[in-house]
Amino acid sequence: MSSEEPVTSRFEENLQFKQVAGPERYSVTTDGPVVYLSIADPTGAVIGYIWANDEDDAAGWVVPPGLSANAVNAGGRWVRALGAGKDRQLAPTALLTELARGVNDGKQSHAVPGSLSEVPTLAVLREQASGVAKVS
């Protein structure tokens, strides 16, 4: 007879996560074109891109690789702006237009003036983020 106790079957089940409540969020994926805004730290180094696509009600934050902890933390302000925009039921590109006017700028980061642009896909933006250059 074995000294091991049998495992209860409920511990062997694969549990499925199903969110039943919580704040609404923009979708984080799209196959369509995305409008984006460059976000920089006080030195002008790009710390991320906030992007949007109205067709899929999608928006998100893309971060270049290799950022310092302070730069990553400064991006939190922009991620929170996405949640606030959805709470106010703004279309994703309307939120970007608002952010481009500097309404979310702070001491640690700011929207780069005149950087509102468009790329054909989110994948192109992610590729662009991997080769970030300093802007003012």
Side-chain angles (χ1 to χ4, degrees):
M1 185 168 190
S2 172
S3 63
E4 288 185 34
E5 297 202 19
V7 176
T8 306
S9 64
R10 67 186 168 103
F11 292 127
E12 294 178 338
E13 293 178 25
N14 286 331
L15 299 177
Q16 301 296 316
F17 177 76
K18 180 179 178 186
Q19 185 172 347
V20 293
E24 287 188 45
R25 297 285 179 225
Y26 294 116
S27 173
V28 294
T29 61
T30 182
D31 292 327
V34 296
V35 176
Y36 70 93
L37 180 63
S38 300
I39 307 301
D41 68 11
T43 70
V46 173
I47 62 165
Y49 301 93
I50 193 163
W51 62 267
N53 172 290
D54 285 345
E55 185 177 314
D56 293 324
D57 194 36
W61 175 248
V62 173
V63 180
L67 293 179
S68 69
N70 285 341
V72 171
N73 289 339
R77 160 182 221 98
W78 303 94
V79 173
R80 288 188 298 277
L82 289 169
K86 185 65 176 177
D87 288 346
R88 294 185 299 144
Q89 300 180 339
L90 287 176
T93 57
L95 174 62
L96 254 63
T97 301
E98 184 178 277
L99 295 174
R101 291 194 304 263
V103 298
N104 200 49
D105 290 358
K107 287 172 52 175
Q108 294 183 333
S109 60
H110 64 277
V112 176
S115 69
L116 201 57
S117 302
E118 185 174 334
V119 290
T121 66
L122 183 54
V124 170
L125 179 60
R126 287 185 174 136
E127 185 178 313
Q128 177 180 316
S130 65
V132 171
K134 185 173 177 173
V135 296
S136 51

